Amino acid sequence: MRHNTAQLLRIGFFADGVFKAVVAIVMLVLLEPITRHDGAPAWLLLLTVLAVSISAVAEIAYAARSGTGTHTKYLVAYDAGWFLATAAALFLVFGRGAEGWTLWLSYQVIASPIIAIVFFRGSRPRP
């Protein structure tokens, strides 16, 4: 049973990393409508695409090399922050407009590199 849990964790980390990669691709594809129609700053959106992509690679590398449950708490914290930032951004979008995008993208620019460092460090071979 223990081996099965470890395998499920690896699959979960891998799937979350792939999800982040898809989010980054979608943001890049939707760059023009998001920046033109919704007023999000293009430079911030591009920086976010880069940050989320690096985070995706780090998580996929972690899943491939380790995937242990020791890093689950970091992923839960990141995703909880993502949920809260999304809720706050939606509140702002319906009230004011572009500020919601700025909040959401800023969260990703700040949190994604932090979680990437955590997962890159976790994927290094232990001496």
Side-chain angles (χ1 to χ4, degrees):
M1 186 68 169
R2 178 117 168 94
H3 177 69
N4 192 23
T5 302
Q7 188 64 20
L8 287 174
L9 283 170
R10 289 179 90 137
I11 291 168
F13 285 119
F14 180 80
D16 198 70
V18 169
F19 174 76
K20 285 179 181 142
V22 170
V23 167
I25 291 167
V26 169
M27 284 190 290
L28 195 56
V29 168
L30 296 177
L31 175 74
E32 192 272 329
I34 292 172
T35 56
R36 181 182 297 193
H37 301 294
D38 295 334
W43 67 269
L44 184 57
L45 186 59
L46 290 171
L47 193 59
T48 302
V49 167
L50 179 63
V52 171
S53 297
I54 292 169
S55 175
V57 169
E59 198 166 342
I60 291 168
Y62 180 76
R65 294 189 180 211
S66 176
T68 63
T70 58
H71 283 54
T72 305
K73 60 188 170 209
Y74 302 116
L75 189 57
V76 169
Y78 173 84
D79 287 345
W82 192 338
F83 175 80
L84 293 173
T86 300
L90 287 172
F91 179 76
L92 288 173
V93 164
F94 290 122
R96 297 187 188 112
E99 293 89 2
W101 275 110
T102 302
L103 172 67
W104 192 82
L105 295 170
S106 296
Y107 173 77
Q108 298 304 322
V109 166
I110 294 166
S112 291
I114 293 169
I115 199 77
I117 290 168
V118 168
F119 280 110
F120 273 133
R121 291 190 67 183
S123 68
R124 290 189 319 204
R126 306 274 181 226

